[in-house]
Amino acid sequence: MRHEWEHAHTDYSRPAQRPAPASLAESEDDWRRYLEGDTSNGWLIQHNSMTEALVSGRPMYLLHVTRDIDAIRTSRQLHVSTGCLVGALYCSPLTSRGKGLLPHNLGAYLMRTKPSTTPMILEVTPDAAIRPKGVNYLHLGPIHLRTYLRYQSFLSPSENDQLERTVRARLRAAAPFLDVTVRNAAGQVTPAPEFIDQLSNAVAHVPFLGYLLFEVLSEYLMLHSASQQTKAYAQAGELNNWPPKRLAHAAVDGMDRLFDLARFNPRHHRLVQLIEGIEPALAPGTAEYVRRRLSHLFALTALHPSQDAAAVTFQDADLGTLVKAAPGLIGQMVYREIRYLPRYQQLYHCFEKAKALEAWDYWNHEGIATPFNGVIPKGEMGINPAYPRSAARVWAARQDSKGYLHPEEEINAVLTPHLASWWAPPRQRETRITTDEARVEPASAALTQIPTHRSPRSEVPA
């Protein structure tokens, strides 16, 4: 298990060393060199205020926003959430200035867009310097799949059958585009407008692609932006989170009420229009960047490292074969599909706490008291509630007219390794599964075993 968690983390103090499928046109290290050395803001990947605070070993101040400060006062506990930080208290950095604590621009965004919440200041005193090693949730697919297989018996036979039939139908519908994507990762060049439009259609069948697309576009905007706002945040050591957030809200109706990237699927013409509205100079390069970058990241996150991206095919492949060839993709699909089972609200803690326990164990062994979202170090930071060697203090805060936060009331509360209650958003759009589709391949023991990441080139067939 430990090696899977290592695979799912990016250490920004070292070159990329993650094992990868064969035949990729560009390596992860190629991309790291390009992103860090050939983009306007790439220097912030290694030299940003968040990771510099981590490696300093000094006390850190973090912002957390809550909708129910009274419940925290009463229970004297802070519970953690799942999502991109697996099982951590979701925060963003605060910088101590003479006038108070200044929120990272991500925190400023959260406070501005969540006016009904109360800001909280947390002071975390680590026992030592913390390596800039962040969890990359795009690489959690094999862990999602292994967790499902381990607790599969918690679902009824009909629930497991429904899950398998749905995954099969979605794979069947998206298979032509998935093949295009891995071929592009291996060097094929599909016209970018055509690629974006096919991607837009495929998100409805494989929602994970919406998350992947958003992260690619976030990276593109944050690293290439030359706006005055971006330059000002760069001087403070921060990547600018506002353009990606503006993009998501403009692309999807209701994103302000529910930030659901499963619905993020702009077509080519619309995507270019949206980027023009944010920073016109970036619009011409958007589509080609998405084609190259998303294809590479899809192959890296979806396929087992033993595979050959030039040979893998999703069309006409049975589920058992794809579980071995693409455990990352199947895990991401299962993870997102299982949450819509009617009984999953009762089973949530069984599946999600299993992953959180593993993450806490990994972080404790690695000395990570404050994990962060390592897709790119953009300011999404958390607190490990099970870390035994650090101390934390908690205050309710007030914000002054200039945006600085000040501790107002110290709260006698502790972080606990307990997951906050879970709520599933209603699915906005279903991929219809017809009776004929469900009968093509009856449910079976296809989801049985997945290969590990120990050997970069195992005997698993494509």
Side-chain angles (χ1 to χ4, degrees), residues 373-385:
N373 181 357
V375 176
I376 191 170
K378 57 187 173 181
E380 291 182 306
M381 197 172 186
I383 304 177
N384 172 2

Side-chain angles (χ1 to χ4, degrees), residues 35-231:
L35 296 175
E36 292 181 11
D38 295 334
T39 63
S40 302
N41 307 304
W43 60 275
L44 285 165
I45 292 176
Q46 288 200 41
H47 304 287
N48 61 83
S49 58
M50 181 184 72
T51 56
E52 287 176 354
L54 291 172
V55 301
S56 74
R58 294 192 295 269
M60 288 178 289
Y61 293 95
L62 303 176
L63 165 69
H64 173 70
V65 296
T66 180
R67 293 186 182 278
D68 200 347
I69 189 70
D70 290 333
I72 295 172
R73 289 190 183 104
T74 302
S75 68
R76 297 185 175 184
Q77 292 185 353
L78 281 163
H79 296 170
V80 300
S81 58
T82 56
C84 68
L85 294 176
V86 186
L89 186 73
Y90 187 90
C91 301
S92 62
L94 292 166
T95 302
S96 181
R97 301 279 176 86
K99 299 178 181 178
L101 293 167
L102 187 64
H104 187 283
N105 70 84
L106 174 62
Y109 163 83
L110 292 173
M111 287 194 296
R112 184 176 298 183
T113 57
K114 299 178 184 297
S116 60
T117 60
T118 301
M120 301 181 70
I121 296 170
L122 289 98
E123 179 191 65
V124 180
T125 304
D127 60 317
I130 301 170
R131 288 168 63 188
K133 191 174 187 179
V135 60
N136 186 327
Y137 78 93
L138 300 176
H139 284 276
L140 292 177
I143 295 171
H144 293 320
L145 181 55
R146 175 170 52 76
T147 304
Y148 164 69
L149 296 175
R150 182 176 180 182
Y151 297 102
Q152 193 173 12
S153 65
F154 288 24
L155 301 182
S156 69
S158 62
E159 287 170 331
N160 278 304
D161 286 352
Q162 176 187 338
L163 189 66
E164 278 201 39
R165 285 196 301 270
T166 303
V167 169
R168 281 194 179 99
R170 290 183 179 279
L171 283 167
R172 188 179 302 116
F177 174 73
L178 300 181
D179 280 0
V180 167
T181 305
V182 292
R183 297 297 174 270
N184 275 260
Q188 175 180 303
V189 179
T190 301
E194 177 185 332
F195 183 90
I196 302 298
D197 286 345
Q198 290 182 29
L199 169 62
S200 175
N201 294 334
V203 170
H205 306 292
V206 181
F208 173 61
L209 293 171
Y211 291 77
L212 199 59
L213 174 60
F214 177 74
E215 295 296 349
V216 167
L217 287 166
S218 296
E219 176 186 84
Y220 179 70
L221 290 168
M222 288 189 289
L223 295 182
H224 293 83
S225 172
S227 72
Q228 291 303 311
Q229 181 190 57
T230 296
K231 291 176 180 178

